[in-house]
Amino acid sequence: MTQEMSAKEFIARRIALELKDGDVVNLGIGLPTLVANYLPADVHLMLHSENGFVGIGPVPKDIPPIGKPRLVNAGGNPVSILPGGSTFDISTSFALMRGGHLDAAVLGGMQVAENGDLANWMIPGKNVPGMGGAMDLAVGAKMLIVAMEHTSNGEKKILKKCTLPLTVKNRVSTLVTEMALFRFRDGKMFLEETAPGVSVEEIRAATEADFTVSDNLKEMVISQTGL
């Protein structure tokens, strides 16, 4: 990660290389939505939005006056639909999610545990609009990728056990932070990649969870799109 690049951009650029041409993918609200900006030129996805469509395109140029967008994603942001896209009711959308029809879901995280548990929908005592489709996406997608910063105000977020209410148990496939990439197999956590200039010792110091260092540990490579 360079001084000119934010942690969120670095994470999104790395995750962009995880997705394959032709995948049907849901990008969660917040950091995950950035992933679409950094997809390699030869990777074309069908992006799904849980409020009822596939084939999300870029923000339209002719957005109506503020407060009156014609088409919005699950986060309420204006979007367009690409040729071949489709709209449908929310029950059909959730059937796609729950039925295993999404190749991947990229979700933000508040905490991830070493066994692949994810907490990302609420902090007790704080008002939240609801869990939305996070639980359905986390269970239904063939691959669950979590995008989050490694710590928050110095507090560790990758833990032995989540302390916040869980979104899903033992389902995280891949976790990407600005320091490292971890993969989860058989309820265990493996450090597969380190960010440039970041040592394994630094990662251990910022991580409560136990993890195994891969025999094939390598340095993270990120998408160069837009650089």
Side-chain angles (χ1 to χ4, degrees):
M1 187 171 65
T2 66
Q3 292 182 344
E4 295 77 21
M5 187 182 299
S6 70
K8 290 182 179 180
E9 180 181 337
F10 182 83
I11 294 165
R13 284 182 177 277
R14 177 60 189 86
I15 291 175
L17 299 182
E18 290 290 294
L19 305 177
K20 305 297 186 295
D21 189 56
D23 280 353
V24 181
V25 179
N26 184 289
L27 300 178
I29 297 169
L31 193 168
T33 62
L34 299 177
V35 173
N37 297 333
Y38 308 117
L39 294 171
D42 59 347
V43 173
H44 303 281
L45 305 179
M46 184 69 77
L47 294 178
H48 165 268
S49 184
E50 66 203 59
N51 58 324
F53 56 92
V54 292
I56 299 174
V59 176
K61 295 180 180 179
D62 57 342
I63 300 177
I66 295 175
K68 298 180 181 179
R70 296 188 181 94
L71 188 68
V72 298
N73 62 17
N77 300 312
V79 292
S80 59
I81 295 185
L82 298 174
S86 177
T87 62
F88 33 78
D89 62 36
I90 198 165
S91 61
T92 300
S93 184
F94 272 70
L96 288 174
M97 293 154 59
R98 295 170 179 172
H101 302 289
L102 299 183
D103 294 295
V106 183
L107 299 180
M110 296 174 183
Q111 295 178 343
V112 172
E114 62 188 39
N115 68 338
D117 292 351
L118 168 66
N120 82 336
W121 75 279
M122 76 166 295
I123 297 175
K126 292 192 176 183
N127 291 326
V128 293
M131 66 189 69
M135 294 181 177
D136 304 87
L137 288 166
V139 172
K142 295 173 184 174
M143 179 170 60
L144 174 59
I145 302 170
V146 175
M148 73 177 192
E149 294 186 51
H150 208 99
T151 60
S152 177
N153 298 319
E155 292 190 11
K156 296 174 181 178
K157 298 170 63 176
I158 307 173
L159 309 172
K160 292 181 180 295
K161 185 177 181 180
C162 293
T163 59
L164 295 175
L166 291 183
T167 304
V168 69
K169 290 181 66 64
N170 195 223
R171 282 286 298 170
V172 178
S173 307
T174 301
L175 167 63
V176 181
T177 77
E178 76 280 14
M179 296 181 72
L181 182 148
F182 299 94
R183 300 199 194 275
F184 296 79
R185 297 187 291 273
D186 300 322
K188 296 182 180 180
M189 183 173 166
F190 297 83
L191 175 64
E192 300 282 351
E193 300 179 15
T194 60
V198 178
S199 68
V200 173
E201 290 71 25
E202 289 174 307
I203 294 169
R204 286 200 187 280
T207 307
E208 180 193 278
D210 290 327
F211 59 83
T212 300
V213 178
S214 171
D215 292 336
N216 298 311
L217 182 68
K218 59 185 179 180
E219 187 174 276
M220 294 169 77
V221 174
I222 61 173
S223 169
Q224 298 299 301
T225 299
L227 287 177

